[in-house]
Amino acid sequence: MIHSKQIHSEGFSIINNVFTENEIENLISLIENATQKDSDNATFRKSQDLFAIRQFHKEVPETLAFIFNENLNEIIESNFGKGYFITKSIYFDKPEKSNWFVAYHQDLTISVDRKIEVENFENWTLKQNQFAVQPPTEILEDNFTIRIHIDKTTKDNGALKVINNSHSKGIIRIENLDFENEKETICEVDKGGIMIMKPLLFHASNKTTNNERRRVIHIEFSKQQLPNGLEWSEKTIFQN
């Protein structure tokens, strides 16, 4: 399952049939148990249009045994190599009648354990006792994200849309993209499939129009050592 050429050239790749029906059902069961037990948890965000669990791999660690199955481990190693670790994870549940949408953007920040002055680390924020910062571009260029699809995701229930190859342009403002000459792809993914994407790829999602739920586990990876004692706040080694 080598998709590295497409990931490099287009900034993303879709791979279906990574998880079995049984593995997906186990993930759903573990997530539902966690949310019922701890619904007041500060890392849980709930609204009419979206339910999210931040630091998902720490809040529901039992899921890791199902997430890092033989298929996913082989995909990571064959496309990126060894030495990567989890730096961030979020579970998104977009309900059937959700009006939630996300405008085009790049993923420019990482989660770190403290705020210290480090050259070329900028645009610091603090939300719910979690520091985020924009690191140097070369760190973002080496990182990647895997989105695990718990439900079949189509253009009608908020599948991501992306601007092909936009990750190759570095960090740029959206208004500097020439949309008339850019290729846009709607990334439809089957239940049990994944989407791999680079952080600098411009991506967005629309409102749900078909009354179908969309649940996704979003996991970010890096192998970069941060400078000056700065550390990834959610760093977790997985077995591959």
Side-chain angles (χ1 to χ4, degrees):
M1 292 189 192
I2 303 241
H3 295 259
S4 53
K5 185 175 180 181
Q6 185 185 17
I7 296 165
H8 179 75
S9 63
E10 301 295 324
F12 71 98
S13 187
I14 294 166
I15 309 172
N16 287 313
N17 302 311
V18 176
F19 296 92
T20 65
E21 185 75 29
N22 187 53
E23 286 169 331
I24 292 296
E25 291 308 314
N26 279 315
L27 286 172
I28 291 171
S29 177
L30 289 168
I31 292 166
E32 288 179 347
N33 287 343
T35 54
Q36 288 166 7
K37 268 193 310 190
D38 204 4
S39 59
D40 295 328
N41 192 313
T43 63
F44 293 10
R45 173 189 166 193
K46 189 163 190 176
S47 71
Q48 182 179 346
D49 291 322
L50 177 71
F51 175 71
I53 302 175
R54 293 185 177 88
Q55 301 188 29
F56 173 76
H57 65 288
K58 291 191 170 185
E59 294 296 341
V60 199
E62 304 86 355
T63 58
L64 293 178
F66 295 101
I67 288 171
F68 291 99
N69 65 6
E70 186 176 340
N71 283 341
L72 193 68
N73 285 333
E74 196 274 330
I75 288 167
I76 291 172
E77 187 168 332
S78 63
N79 288 286
F80 300 100
K82 293 181 179 288
Y84 282 88
F85 46 82
I86 300 169
T87 63
K88 186 177 185 177
S89 67
I90 310 171
Y91 167 73
F92 294 107
D93 180 354
K94 196 171 184 178
E96 294 87 340
K97 297 185 183 299
S98 176
N99 284 320
W100 183 64
F101 73 96
V102 179
Y104 266 115
H105 66 286
Q106 297 173 298
D107 290 339
L108 298 180
T109 64
I110 61 173
S111 299
V112 294
D113 62 342
R114 72 193 79 177
K115 181 178 181 179
I116 54 177
E117 291 301 317
V118 183
E119 187 177 3
N120 295 323
F121 282 72
E122 53 194 26
N123 299 326
W124 288 86
T125 61
L126 177 63
K127 293 180 183 176
Q128 296 180 323
N129 297 316
Q130 173 67 72
F131 288 104
V133 65
Q134 182 176 319
T137 306
E138 55 266 24
I139 290 180
L140 295 173
E141 287 175 336
D142 189 56
N143 292 357
F144 65 93
T145 297
I146 291 179
R147 293 168 58 88
I148 299 166
H149 287 254
I150 305 297
D151 301 295
K152 181 177 176 63
T153 305
T154 69
K155 62 182 176 58
D156 298 319
N157 69 335
L160 279 195
K161 52 184 182 179
V162 302
I163 303 298
N164 296 48
N165 194 38
S166 53
H167 68 300
S168 68
K169 304 176 191 297
I171 297 172
I172 58 173
R173 298 178 66 88
I174 185 69
E175 55 265 31
N176 292 333
L177 276 180
D178 179 9
F179 273 89
E180 287 190 7
N181 293 307
E182 299 289 352
K183 180 183 177 184
E184 181 182 76
T185 298
I186 296 175
C187 299
E188 297 188 318
V189 186
D190 289 344
K191 178 179 180 179
I194 67 170
M195 176 185 177
I196 303 173
M197 58 180 281
K198 300 294 285 181
L200 295 182
L201 184 76
F202 271 97
H203 57 285
S205 69
N206 290 336
K207 299 175 182 178
T208 297
T209 60
N210 65 353
N211 291 328
E212 291 186 4
R213 194 174 185 182
R214 191 204 76 179
R215 290 168 290 182
V216 172
I217 299 171
H218 168 113
I219 308 176
E220 299 178 14
F221 296 85
S222 183
K223 63 177 180 182
Q224 299 288 322
Q225 182 76 31
L226 300 178
N228 294 20
L230 196 63
E231 188 54 89
W232 304 90
S233 62
E234 298 179 45
K235 180 176 179 178
T236 300
I237 307 293
F238 63 92
Q239 297 301 315
N240 70 334

